[in-house]
Amino acid sequence: MKIFKIPNICLQVLLVLQYEVISSIRSLSIPKYEILTIGNGKIDTSDVNCIHFDETQKPGWITRKKNILTQSAKYDNVVLLHDYYVFDKEWYNNFVVFGDDWDICSNQQLLINGKRHFTDWVVWDDPFFPRYYSLPYTMWDRTHFMYISGGYFLVKKHVIRSQPFNENLTHGQAEDVEWSLRVRTKYIMKCNGDSIVRHNKVHRDAR
């Protein structure tokens, strides 16, 4: 079995940085990693690299932010996430077992109420399942119908370099759907059902 050694993982925290998210990353004891943030804020810690971004140039320009973060990443394995995802203590260890034979990957995502967030492994236009149908984590043969939610996912740096997010779109304009439709038939997509991230605030889907 191939071992996922992650001396090559970049954890990107978008939007407002939360201490709980950073603490959960540090507690994973990943041998080599980097944490990048982007926005107007500045975090004074040695293991966090803050990239300044003028939020006034285009409101909700999350596509530009993700492209900048990925271009700035040191390592090929990148985790893009919003600031309300906290890593389970076994997240990294379970990825070591799972391996890195993928281009785009997801894992189990739990809402603050403990229920599965349906978008963690979900189809968009599958002829046999309704839109937003959550697949079993071990079902990888429907990826050509998948939708990759922009809130949290793993991706190889070279994928974003080849297929960057469409910067004509902003948050709320289905920018993640547009990207999903472009990449889902070009790359290997898998889901790791054993690694877990949890929301640390109430999401609209948990109400």
Side-chain angles (χ1 to χ4, degrees):
M1 179 177 292
K2 189 172 183 179
I3 301 300
F4 189 25
K5 295 187 176 178
I6 318 194
N8 47 346
I9 190 162
C10 177
L11 296 158
Q12 329 273 12
V13 183
L14 307 182
L15 311 177
V16 180
L17 184 67
Q18 291 189 1
Y19 176 76
E20 186 179 3
V21 179
I22 296 299
S23 296
S24 73
I25 295 169
R26 291 171 175 157
S27 69
L28 296 173
S29 298
I30 299 173
K32 292 182 181 180
Y33 69 95
E34 64 174 340
I35 301 172
L36 301 182
T37 68
I38 189 166
N40 292 327
K42 178 67 176 175
I43 306 301
D44 187 18
T45 60
S46 60
D47 60 345
V48 179
N49 180 14
C50 300
I51 299 172
H52 177 75
F53 186 84
D54 182 1
E55 303 281 359
T56 65
Q57 56 186 319
K58 183 186 286 189
W61 206 7
I62 198 167
T63 49
R64 179 63 178 151
K65 287 182 176 181
K66 288 181 177 179
N67 288 338
I68 290 173
L69 284 169
T70 309
Q71 292 162 8
S72 303
K74 290 180 183 178
Y75 308 122
D76 192 40
N77 293 325
V78 177
V79 184
L80 287 167
L81 66 146
H82 287 197
D83 68 338
Y84 49 84
Y85 286 90
V86 174
F87 290 79
D88 179 81
K89 63 181 181 179
E90 293 299 319
W91 180 92
Y92 170 70
N93 291 332
N94 286 325
F95 257 108
V96 170
V97 175
F98 185 76
D100 68 345
D101 183 22
W102 44 263
D103 297 307
I104 301 167
C105 191
S106 186
N107 58 251
Q108 186 176 170
Q109 300 170 34
L110 301 179
L111 297 165
I112 198 168
N113 59 13
K115 296 182 179 180
R116 175 183 177 179
H117 193 194
F118 71 92
T119 62
D120 59 6
W121 193 237
V122 67
V123 293
W124 180 255
D125 51 4
D126 194 301
F128 295 105
F129 298 111
R131 179 161 293 179
Y132 296 125
Y133 181 83
S134 300
L135 296 176
Y137 296 127
T138 55
M139 184 178 286
W140 302 343
D141 61 349
R142 313 298 297 175
T143 57
H144 47 299
F145 301 118
M146 296 294 291
Y147 154 61
I148 303 115
S149 175
Y152 173 96
F153 63 99
L154 298 86
V155 64
K156 303 290 187 182
K157 181 176 179 177
H158 67 83
V159 173
I160 301 292
R161 282 187 167 181
S162 176
Q163 296 290 332
F165 285 91
N166 183 351
E167 295 183 6
N168 292 320
L169 302 177
T170 58
H171 181 67
Q173 295 183 332
E175 77 289 344
D176 48 3
V177 175
E178 189 275 335
W179 185 77
S180 298
L181 298 183
R182 271 192 287 126
V183 303
R184 62 187 184 177
T185 60
K186 295 181 174 70
Y187 299 101
I188 298 172
M189 294 172 54
K190 294 182 179 180
C191 187
N192 176 3
D194 293 325
S195 290
I196 300 171
V197 291
R198 294 180 171 85
H199 289 200
N200 70 350
K201 72 175 186 179
V202 177
H203 189 274
R204 61 182 180 273
D205 295 329
R207 293 171 182 162

